[in-house]
Amino acid sequence: MGTAIPIAEMTFVVVDIETTGSVPGRDAITEIAAIRVQNGQITERFQQLVNPQQPIPPFIQELTGIRPDMVADAPTIDQVMPAFWDFLGDGVFVAHHVPFDFKFLNTVTKSLLGDELSNPQLCTCRLARKLLPTLKRKNLDSVSDHFGITIHDRHRALGDAEATAQILIAFLAMLEEEGITTMGRLMNYHQRGSKKYGSYKIPYPEHRISSVSQQPGVYLMRDDQGEILYIGKAKNLRKRLKSYFTGFQNQPAKVQELMQQVTDIETRILGSELEALLEEAHLIKAHQPYYNRQIKNYRTFPFLKITLQEPYPRLSVTYDIENDDALYFGPYQRKRHLATMVEALCKVFQLRACSDKVFHTHQNKGVPCMAYQIGTCTGPCASLISIEDYHAQVQEIVNFLEGRVSELTAKMIAKREAYSAEMAFEKAQQIHDRLLDLLKLQSNTRFLAQAVHQNHMLLALPDRDPPRSLLLYVYKGRPIQKQVFDPRTDDVDSITERVAMIQRMLSASAETKRDIIHQRELEEIRIIASWLRNPDRDDTVTMWDLTRPFSELTREIQAYVMQCQASLGDDWPVHPMALIDSQ
């Protein structure tokens, strides 16, 4: 069975049997029923009484209603099994307690054919333990009651199989909502945490790792159908892949589950760890592998926005970053807490929290709103504070959101002490309360720094093919252009022309550069921002801040190019353009 086969294309055969006892080989089957389920629908049924050729205990007769006279003329098990095998085919063997039913039928199969059933097994009782953890009991009656399924003819094979089939259909729908849509994912979810249903064997041979490069790069793990299961990056590819095999029994459950499906690993060598980070993000976006679901998806993550282009800026929530001279902070993961956070920030920093409509209404009346009366706003709607003083308040919240909190708290503490010294205890208490709220907010904030507004640079990374370099032109925090620079054939103008273009973009007015940062670009912005903040980042990367004067940048880039060309030795002459520019 291929692990990449969609669940919707598989055949599930739900089986239930009645017997004279609980020991296969000693006790015998009295009834077999099977129901075929395909694409969430019951398509066919099989049911047959069986002559057990042995007495049926009275308590079994009482439980099942199957009496000796009902099976006296029924076919024996060797006559019934060929029809059952044909109905089962290569479908998934499903039962509510699969070890019992499968063991009985497998014992009969071995005795008649000398071979075992090879069908994959799925236990709905086991799935109930995983999918319905709060349900007190997981027997067929309890699970059926949970889904409102009526069992007709309880303890008869067809009635119990019918209820189990309905439970299976409900479970498959629940699993689909969790992203489990292929047989590989279903069987690994089902087997996880049990040695009974699966081994810890890794299909991919460990000895192949020894031939993997030790350079930076990305790796793509695939199953036997070629489906990409997981994409990762590494500073040292061989070392990273070897770690999957080290202490496998102690690896996290997700890693064990993944590796039991991996039959091939493709590696792609890159020039640096930063390039590997960016390439990993690009490939994950393109292929969206199942086991990369833990990678952050910013499509629905909001930002805080401060509208600096307004005379009296306000704080709001948005999902897109526009080039509108506003400041953006985020993205924030806890969407449901963000509205409360905005309200608290406005209260602490006494910023207006009202909409433009409410603000203009009070502005026309010249009367401040209730927020001013209770001391949570400084009353800009009634011109009770100047634009300059209000912008000073805005700067305080900017400092806070950018992480510069110590200076702000020191200032507030000094103000609180000054009010106390003046015996203005009510004002001192207000400052104290604001300070407590501020420190509480600080522990709950999370932001991407101001990468979009501050990170405009040129990065020169080692290329996978020396002596070439990979140049990343970073504008608004994300790489907008890549260039493979070869000192043997390229000159400095190929770089400085692009630098000049970005500087023109930076100096353009807001009206002429209304570009928007798309949510899909946020992962690259985060990667570069995190890499820049890392004190142990790769020292083989050369950086230039593109907000610096063009003449300075040109001189430094020329020196870099000449250094690259000089490293080639006497076999590669320095490019004549570099010689002219350096004179």
Side-chain angles (χ1 to χ4, degrees):
M1 178 187 69
T3 58
I5 297 175
I7 290 173
E9 296 179 11
M10 282 299 297
T11 297
F12 297 87
V13 180
V14 182
V15 179
D16 191 83
I17 61 173
E18 303 301 333
T19 64
T20 60
S22 60
V23 182
R26 185 196 72 185
D27 299 312
I29 295 172
T30 58
E31 186 178 27
I32 300 178
I35 294 178
R36 190 174 287 147
V37 175
Q38 294 171 307
N39 198 19
Q41 301 289 329
I42 293 175
T43 59
E44 200 171 350
R45 293 171 175 83
F46 171 91
Q47 187 270 337
Q48 180 63 61
L49 286 168
V50 181
N51 186 339
Q53 297 181 299
Q54 62 177 250
I56 303 175
F59 79 93
I60 295 289
Q61 294 184 44
E62 183 68 25
L63 179 69
T64 65
I66 299 176
R67 301 180 304 277
D69 60 298
M70 294 172 60
V71 295
D73 298 325
T76 57
I77 192 64
D78 59 323
Q79 295 171 313
V80 172
M81 285 303 290
F84 172 76
W85 291 326
D86 185 59
F87 189 89
L88 176 64
D90 59 359
V92 180
F93 189 109
V94 184
H96 193 66
H97 185 58
V98 82
F100 176 84
D101 301 84
F102 189 87
K103 193 170 184 179
F104 256 97
L105 290 165
N106 196 41
T107 299
V108 173
T109 300
K110 285 170 65 176
S111 68
L112 295 176
L113 299 180
D115 200 3
E116 298 185 349
L117 293 172
S118 59
N119 302 68
Q121 304 164 54
L122 200 64
C123 181
T124 52
C125 183
R126 182 172 177 78
L127 287 176
R129 293 190 193 105
K130 294 172 177 288
L131 293 168
L132 306 174
T134 58
L135 191 64
K136 189 173 182 180
R137 303 183 67 187
K138 309 300 192 294
N139 58 29
L140 187 62
D141 294 292
S142 297
V143 180
S144 296
D145 286 344
H146 175 81
F147 287 113
I149 297 168
T150 302
I151 307 178
H152 302 285
D153 245 353
R154 180 70 171 106
H155 296 299
R156 286 296 300 272
L158 187 60
D160 290 355
E162 188 88 32
T164 304
Q166 295 291 346
I167 289 168
L168 172 67
I169 291 168
F171 281 162
L172 293 180
M174 292 171 68
L175 290 166
E176 184 179 9
E177 291 180 3
E178 292 190 19
I180 299 175
T181 57
T182 65
M183 286 308 300
R185 294 170 190 170
L186 172 61
M187 298 310 294
N188 276 282
Y189 177 86
H190 172 262
Q191 293 166 5
R192 193 186 308 158
S194 172
K195 295 182 180 179
K196 182 185 294 184
Y197 293 95
S199 68
Y200 288 103
K201 182 180 177 183
I202 303 176
Y204 185 83
E206 183 179 1
H207 67 83
R208 288 175 59 184
I209 299 298
S210 60
S211 62
V212 172
S213 169
Q214 297 190 65
Q215 292 178 258
V218 295
Y219 55 93
L220 295 81
M221 293 180 165
R222 301 177 187 269
D223 64 13
D224 58 356
Q225 301 295 306
E227 179 184 9
I228 298 174
L229 300 173
Y230 181 78
I231 295 170
K233 52 86 181 56
K235 191 174 183 178
N236 181 322
L237 283 167
R238 185 191 301 174
K239 185 177 180 180
R240 179 68 185 99
L241 291 177
K242 206 166 185 61
S243 70
Y244 285 99
F245 296 84
T246 304
F248 182 70
Q249 299 280 5
N250 300 319
Q251 295 273 21
K254 272 286 183 186
V255 175
Q256 292 185 11
E257 178 184 323
L258 164 67
M259 292 305 293
Q260 290 180 75
Q261 301 175 70
V262 174
T263 60
D264 186 49
I265 301 176
E266 175 191 351
T267 59
R268 299 180 185 178
I269 298 171
L270 299 170
S272 65
E273 185 181 14
L274 177 56
E275 185 183 2
L277 284 163
L278 294 168
E279 182 66 9
E280 178 198 36
H282 169 73
L283 289 172
I284 289 171
K285 275 190 295 187
H287 298 285
Q288 299 183 348
Y290 174 74
Y291 287 94
N292 286 103
R293 280 172 56 181
Q294 70 271 28
I295 301 296
K296 296 177 180 64
N297 181 352
Y298 292 111
R299 285 181 302 168
T300 57
F301 286 1
F303 292 79
L304 290 179
K305 176 180 180 178
I306 299 179
T307 56
L308 292 182
Q309 69 273 31
E310 299 180 6
Y312 294 102
R314 62 191 176 92
L315 190 65
S316 62
V317 178
T318 184
Y319 286 83
D320 287 303
I321 300 177
E322 298 183 37
N323 189 27
D324 53 3
D325 291 335
L327 281 179
Y328 295 85
F329 300 87
Y332 291 85
Q333 278 184 295
R334 298 181 178 180
K335 294 174 284 188
R336 64 182 180 275
H337 297 159
L338 203 53
T340 305
M341 181 177 166
V342 169
E343 183 180 343
L345 284 168
C346 290
K347 175 185 174 184
V348 168
F349 294 99
Q350 297 182 287
L351 244 59
R352 72 179 183 96
C354 56
S355 66
D356 287 340
K357 183 178 180 180
V358 171
F359 181 84
H360 292 312
T361 298
H362 285 276
Q363 194 174 43
N364 292 334
K365 294 179 179 178
V367 178
C369 66
M370 183 59 68
Y372 174 79
Q373 307 294 338
I374 61 176
T376 60
C377 178
T378 49
C381 58
S383 300
L384 297 175
I385 183 173
S386 68
I387 292 178
E388 292 75 17
D389 288 344
Y390 187 85
H391 275 260
Q393 293 175 211
V394 172
Q395 188 56 51
E396 286 187 341
I397 198 171
V398 170
N399 291 342
F400 170 76
L401 291 172
E402 288 184 343
R404 300 194 296 271
V405 183
S406 56
E407 182 182 339
L408 180 62
T409 53
K411 189 191 302 182
M412 292 177 72
I413 291 171
K415 192 181 290 187
R416 180 189 64 187
E417 300 305 319
Y419 280 132
S420 296
E422 296 170 2
M423 309 290 283
F425 297 118
E426 186 176 343
K427 288 185 177 181
Q429 185 62 46
Q430 288 178 348
I431 296 294
H432 180 74
D433 292 343
R434 284 182 61 201
L435 183 60
L436 291 179
D437 288 340
L438 180 74
L439 296 174
K440 190 184 298 182
L441 283 169
Q442 183 192 7
S443 66
N444 294 326
T445 54
R446 173 186 172 275
F447 54 89
L448 251 185
Q450 283 303 287
V452 170
H453 299 279
Q454 296 173 2
N455 292 346
H456 315 289
M457 59 189 58
L458 170 60
L459 303 177
L461 288 63
D463 188 65
R464 69 196 81 180
D465 183 18
R468 303 191 310 179
S469 299
L470 176 67
L471 305 181
L472 297 181
Y473 296 86
V474 178
Y475 171 70
K476 286 187 172 289
R478 84 283 198 201
I480 61 167
Q481 197 172 63
K482 294 181 182 180
Q483 177 191 1
V484 176
F485 177 80
D486 192 332
R488 296 165 295 190
T489 57
D490 301 329
D491 60 41
V492 71
D493 288 347
S494 65
I495 304 175
T496 55
E497 287 173 2
R498 291 175 170 86
V499 170
M501 176 196 71
I502 292 179
Q503 289 201 325
R504 286 194 296 272
M505 292 165 62
L506 288 169
S507 62
S509 64
E511 290 73 23
T512 60
K513 55 175 185 179
R514 303 290 294 182
D515 56 314
I516 295 176
I517 306 296
H518 295 283
Q519 294 277 348
R520 63 178 178 270
E521 298 175 298
L522 293 174
E523 180 64 11
E524 289 183 334
I525 294 174
R526 185 196 64 79
I527 288 169
I528 290 177
S530 298
W531 184 86
L532 289 169
R533 292 198 301 270
N534 181 7
D536 299 321
R537 61 176 180 259
D538 188 352
D539 58 8
T540 63
V541 178
T542 305
M543 297 185 293
W544 295 275
D545 182 351
L546 298 185
T547 61
R548 292 169 54 210
F550 181 73
S551 58
E552 291 181 13
L553 292 171
T554 301
R555 284 194 298 271
E556 292 181 13
I557 294 169
Q558 284 174 343
Y560 170 79
V561 171
M562 290 183 67
Q563 182 182 356
C564 291
Q565 292 171 334
S567 67
L568 299 174
D570 296 334
D571 295 334
W572 295 97
V574 176
H575 196 282
M577 182 61 72
L579 288 173
I580 294 169
D581 289 341
S582 65
Q583 293 175 357

